[in-house]
Amino acid sequence: MKNKLMNNIKKAMKPFLNENQQNILEDTINNFFKDIDVIKIDKTSSLEESNNNSLLLDSFLSAKQVEGCSERTINYYKSTLFKMFDYVKKNISYITTDDLRMYLSEYRKINGASKTTVDNIRRVLSSFFSWLEDEGYILKNPVRRIHKIKTKKVVKEVLSDENFEVLRDKCDNIRDLAMIELLASTGIRVGELVNLNIDDVIFNERECVVLGKGDSERIVYFDAKTKIHLQKYLDSRKDNNPALFVSFKKPYKRLGINGVERRIRELGQEAKIKKVHPHKFRRTMATNAIDKGMPIEQVQKLLGHVQIDTTMQYAMVNQNNVKISHRKFIG
C-alpha cells in the first residue's frame, strides 16, 4: 500500500519536473515514508465516525451493566460521554490527549464547573478509554497523560444529635420517621433503601439484607428505636406492595431515589438545616462509629466498601479525640 502511494505521487508529478527534479522528489519521498506505515481505511465501514462512537459507547455501557453499575451511574456515563463526543466531533480512534484537555478546559470555562466536577468527568473519560484500550479498539488511552485534578479538601459536615431531634420533630407521619431512623441507624445508601422489601427485614435480629454496588449482598443492623418505628409504619399500611417504603397515594408504588431525596431535602428545609440529603446520614453514621471506637474494618463492612480508603473518606475524626489520643500515646 505504501509503495503504491509513493509511485502514484511520482507519476502525478512527472509531467511538471525535469529529470534532476524527479530524482530529488524520489529521494525526498523515500526518506519521508521510510518510517511511516500506510493503512487503507474502508470508508464504507458501518463502524465509522459517529456510528462507530455510538456503537462503542453502547458496548462500554453494556460492560458496565454486567459489572453491576447502577442505572444512575450508567446514565451519568452516557450523558458525560455524549457531551464529549458532541464537542470533539471525531471518530474515537482519532481523539487525542490535546482534544480531551481542551474539552475539559472549555467545559469548566463555559459551565463554571468546580474542579471536583471536572475531575469526575476526567474519571469517566479515563474509564471509557481504558476499556477501549483493553478491548483492543484503540492503541493507547489518551487520558493516561491527563493527571488527577487537584481539588481543595473540604471537611464535609455531619448531622449533630440536635439536628436529628429537629428532623424527627418535623416528621408528620410514621413513614418518614421510620425512613430517617433506618438511614441514620444503618448508614445504607439511598439506592439500597428503596430496593428493600419487607421480607428483607429480620425484626427479631434487628437486621436487614441489602443489595449493594456490584450486586453484592450484605447484612446491616438497626437499633431498637428504628425497629419500633418500622413496625408501626408497616402496621399502618393498607397495601400489598412488597416494598418496604411506598408512596402515600394509590396505587402505593415503591418509593424511588428521587422521591426519598426530595422528602429528606424538604425535611431539612423545614428544620432549617443546610444540605440535608440521604448520603449525609451515611457519613454521619460512619463518623460516629469511628468516633466511638468501632474498628475501621468493621465500619467498612457495614458500609459495603471494597477499599478501606473509601471508608476513611466518608468519616471525619473528632479533633478532640485526636488531642486526647495524642496526650495518651505521645504526650
Side-chain angles (χ1 to χ4, degrees):
M1 182 64 196
K2 180 168 73 172
N3 290 335
K4 185 178 180 180
L5 177 63
M6 292 166 63
N7 290 332
N8 285 342
I9 294 173
K10 296 171 188 175
K11 187 176 179 181
M13 293 299 297
K14 189 173 182 179
F16 308 101
L17 306 174
N18 59 39
E19 185 176 351
N20 185 47
Q21 290 172 326
Q22 288 179 38
N23 291 334
I24 294 173
L25 175 64
E26 184 171 352
D27 290 340
T28 302
I29 290 173
N30 289 338
N31 287 330
F32 183 82
F33 282 94
K34 181 174 62 175
D35 298 319
I36 294 176
D37 290 326
V38 178
I39 302 172
K40 183 178 180 180
I41 298 176
D42 182 7
K43 293 291 183 182
T44 62
S45 173
S46 61
L47 295 175
E48 189 170 59
E49 301 304 328
S50 60
N51 288 337
N52 182 52
N53 292 356
S54 296
L55 287 170
L56 289 177
L57 175 57
D58 288 342
S59 296
F60 169 71
L61 296 177
S62 296
K64 287 297 174 184
Q65 284 178 323
V66 171
E67 290 174 15
C69 288
S70 68
E71 185 177 348
R72 175 179 274 196
T73 301
I74 297 295
N75 289 335
Y76 177 63
Y77 278 131
K78 187 174 183 179
S79 63
T80 300
L81 291 167
F82 263 131
K83 288 175 185 175
M84 182 273 293
F85 290 147
D86 189 54
Y87 176 85
V88 176
K89 290 183 172 59
K90 280 187 179 181
N91 185 292
I92 281 172
S93 302
Y94 303 117
I95 293 176
T96 66
T97 300
D98 286 340
D99 291 330
L100 298 178
R101 281 199 181 113
M102 183 65 71
Y103 169 65
L104 292 173
S105 176
E106 287 298 307
Y107 183 94
R108 186 181 181 192
K109 192 185 301 179
I110 294 170
N111 297 283
S114 67
K115 289 183 179 180
T116 301
T117 298
V118 177
D119 194 57
N120 287 338
I121 296 171
R122 181 200 62 81
R123 288 192 296 107
V124 171
L125 297 178
S126 179
S127 178
F128 177 56
F129 282 98
S130 292
W131 178 83
L132 290 172
E133 183 181 24
D134 291 342
E135 294 292 320
Y137 291 112
I138 59 175
L139 294 176
K140 188 177 180 181
N141 174 8
V143 190
R144 188 177 295 167
R145 290 189 288 121
I146 303 178
H147 302 298
K148 184 182 186 303
I149 298 168
K150 293 181 179 179
T151 57
K152 183 180 178 182
K153 287 190 177 181
V154 179
V155 177
K156 295 182 179 179
E157 295 179 349
V158 295
L159 294 165
S160 66
D161 292 340
E162 289 81 2
N163 290 155
F164 276 124
E165 288 304 318
V166 177
L167 286 171
R168 290 183 182 107
D169 288 342
K170 293 299 177 182
C171 291
D172 57 6
N173 62 80
I174 189 62
R175 185 202 68 181
D176 290 351
L177 185 56
M179 192 161 61
I180 68 169
E181 292 289 3
L182 189 63
L183 284 170
S185 187
T186 61
I188 57 177
R189 302 177 178 95
V190 63
E192 296 167 345
L193 177 86
V194 298
N195 285 329
L196 276 173
N197 289 326
I198 298 171
D199 290 343
D200 294 326
V201 182
I202 307 168
F203 284 99
N204 289 339
E205 300 295 329
R206 295 211 309 258
E207 62 186 41
C208 51
V209 180
V210 297
L211 191 64
K213 288 185 176 181
D215 290 335
S216 59
E217 286 189 349
R218 75 179 188 282
I219 297 175
V220 295
Y221 308 95
F222 50 86
D223 57 23
K225 188 187 297 184
T226 303
K227 174 182 176 180
I228 292 170
H229 292 315
L230 274 174
Q231 288 177 325
K232 282 184 179 179
Y233 166 58
L234 293 177
D235 289 342
S236 71
R237 296 240 314 248
K238 295 179 175 134
D239 61 89
N240 295 318
N241 195 322
L244 183 59
F245 292 105
V246 297
S247 61
F248 289 126
K249 297 178 181 179
K250 289 183 179 180
Y252 306 112
K253 291 183 179 180
R254 179 189 295 271
L255 276 184
I257 291 175
N258 290 337
V260 173
E261 288 179 337
R262 183 173 58 252
R263 186 61 193 129
I264 297 294
R265 188 165 56 248
E266 289 170 352
L267 287 171
Q269 290 169 352
E270 292 171 17
K272 297 181 181 179
I273 304 171
K274 293 180 181 180
K275 298 180 181 178
V276 180
H277 48 80
H279 216 71
K280 204 164 191 175
F281 290 85
R282 181 170 168 83
R283 189 183 306 121
T284 301
M285 190 279 278
T287 299
N288 289 340
I290 292 174
D291 190 33
K292 292 176 180 178
M294 179 180 280
I296 187 68
E297 295 83 2
Q298 293 180 16
V299 179
Q300 176 190 4
K301 193 80 172 174
L302 286 176
L303 295 179
H305 289 155
V306 176
Q307 301 293 333
I308 201 164
D309 288 347
T310 309
T311 311
M312 288 304 300
Q313 290 173 10
Y314 271 73
M316 296 191 313
V317 178
N318 189 309
Q319 191 62 38
N320 287 332
N321 287 351
V322 175
K323 182 178 180 180
I324 292 169
S325 294
H326 181 274
R327 288 179 177 174
K328 179 180 177 180
F329 296 107
I330 301 173

